[in-house]
Amino acid sequence: KAGVTQTPRYLIKTRGQQVTLSCSPISGHRSVSWYQQTPGQGLQFLFEYFSETQRNKGNFPGRFSGRQFSNSRSEMNVSTLELGDSALYLCASSTQGPPNEKLFFGSGTQLSVL
Amino acid sequence: AQSVTQPDIHITVSEGASLELRCNYSYGATPYLFWYVQSPGQGLQLLLKYFSGDTLVQGIKGFEAEFKRSQSSFNLRKPSVHWSDAAEYFCAVGASSGDKLTFGTGTRLAVRP
C-alpha cells in the first residue's frame, strides 16, 4: 500500500507570491490534516478535511486555505507569501480522522520564502 | 482546550544508556495520548498510543510510555538506546470530546557513540 505522498518536496518562492501544495492520502483514507512545522514551534494545526468538507481549522490567517477532492486528495494554498511562512508543511491521513486515530504522515513540503 | 508541554528541547544520551523523554498535558478529562518520532527528512511515525486501560503501554522499536493521571504526564522510555534512535520525538494529545490533535514542540534526541 502506498504511503502518503506530498508534492513538491521543495519549493522556493518570493514574498507576495502564492503557492499550492498537494497531498495524496493512503488509499481508503478520507481524512486529511495539514500541519505547519517550524523549529521550536513543533507542529501547528492548519486544518482537517473529511469527505471534501473542512471539519476543523487552526488559528492561521485567511491566506491559508485548503480543499479536498472526491478522491480524497487534498491541496493547501497560501496566498501573499510572507517570510514567516517558511516551514515544513506536513499532511497526514487516516480513515476517520483525529483525535483518536493513528495518523499517517507524508514526508512534507519544505517551503522557503525569500 | 488541550495543550502539551515537552520541557526538554535537546537530550543527548550514550548508546546503550536508558532514555526518558518527558511529556505533560493539560486536559480536564481522560485524553488520547500519542508519541510520534520524526527522523531527519521524514514525516512522523507513530510509536505508541494510550486511550484507556493499562497505564503502561508498549510501542514499536522497544519504546514504552506510562500514563500518570495524577501528574498529567505521559513520559516515553527506552531501556537501552541505539544510535538509530537519534531523531525528534513529539508527544500529542487529543481530547475525547474534541476533534483535533495537539502536538508538543518536540524533543531532539542525539545518541553519543
Side-chain angles (χ1 to χ4, degrees):
Chain A
K1 211 174 196 182
V4 178
T5 303
Q6 290 189 246
T7 56
R9 186 70 179 89
Y10 300 94
L11 265 178
I12 300 176
K13 294 287 186 178
T14 56
R15 277 183 299 173
Q17 287 187 310
Q18 76 164 21
V19 67
T20 299
L21 313 182
S22 178
C23 174
S24 293
I26 290 173
S27 178
H29 286 189
R30 296 160 67 189
S31 169
V32 174
S33 301
W34 287 90
Y35 293 86
Q36 180 194 66
Q37 183 180 10
T38 53
Q41 295 294 315
L43 277 72
Q44 302 293 313
F45 173 72
L46 283 156
F47 28 66
E48 187 241 348
Y49 285 86
F50 183 85
S51 293
E52 302 180 66
T53 300
Q54 186 182 88
R55 286 200 301 193
N56 205 351
K57 191 176 189 304
N59 296 323
F60 278 81
R63 300 185 296 106
F64 291 82
S65 63
R67 60 178 175 169
Q68 187 179 33
F69 302 95
S70 58
N71 61 358
S72 293
R73 190 178 71 85
S74 178
E75 289 181 346
M76 68 163 282
N77 184 77
V78 188
S79 62
T80 319
L81 283 166
E82 301 178 359
L83 295 179
D85 297 333
S86 294
L88 180 66
Y89 290 87
L90 293 165
C91 81
S93 74
S94 63
T95 52
Q96 297 295 322
N100 59 349
E101 274 203 327
K102 173 182 177 179
L103 299 183
F104 294 80
F105 283 83
S107 298
T109 293
Q110 183 68 54
L111 172 64
S112 298
V113 182
L114 306 177
Chain B
Q2 69 264 33
S3 66
V4 184
T5 301
Q6 293 182 249
D8 303 307
I9 298 174
H10 289 102
I11 284 184
T12 300
V13 300
S14 297
E15 190 166 17
S18 63
L19 171 70
E20 181 167 27
L21 302 182
R22 295 183 291 165
C23 171
N24 293 97
Y25 68 90
S26 173
Y27 179 60
T30 300
Y32 302 122
L33 294 163
F34 304 81
W35 275 100
Y36 283 85
V37 61
Q38 183 180 35
S39 298
Q42 301 295 316
L44 280 70
Q45 180 186 21
L46 180 68
L47 284 175
L48 46 79
K49 62 185 180 184
Y50 171 79
F51 290 171
S52 63
D54 193 349
T55 56
L56 184 64
V57 293
Q58 303 296 321
I60 62 171
K61 306 185 181 188
F63 285 93
E64 67 178 25
E66 185 171 14
F67 170 61
K68 293 186 177 180
R69 183 189 302 277
S70 62
Q71 298 177 19
S72 297
S73 70
F74 188 57
N75 294 348
L76 182 71
R77 301 194 295 246
K78 187 169 185 178
S80 178
V81 169
H82 187 262
W83 63 267
S84 60
D85 294 324
E88 190 154 21
Y89 293 80
F90 292 91
C91 181
V93 61
S96 54
S97 61
D99 52 10
K100 69 175 185 178
L101 207 54
T102 299
F103 285 82
T105 51
T107 297
R108 184 169 296 278
L109 172 67
V111 180
R112 198 184 298 123

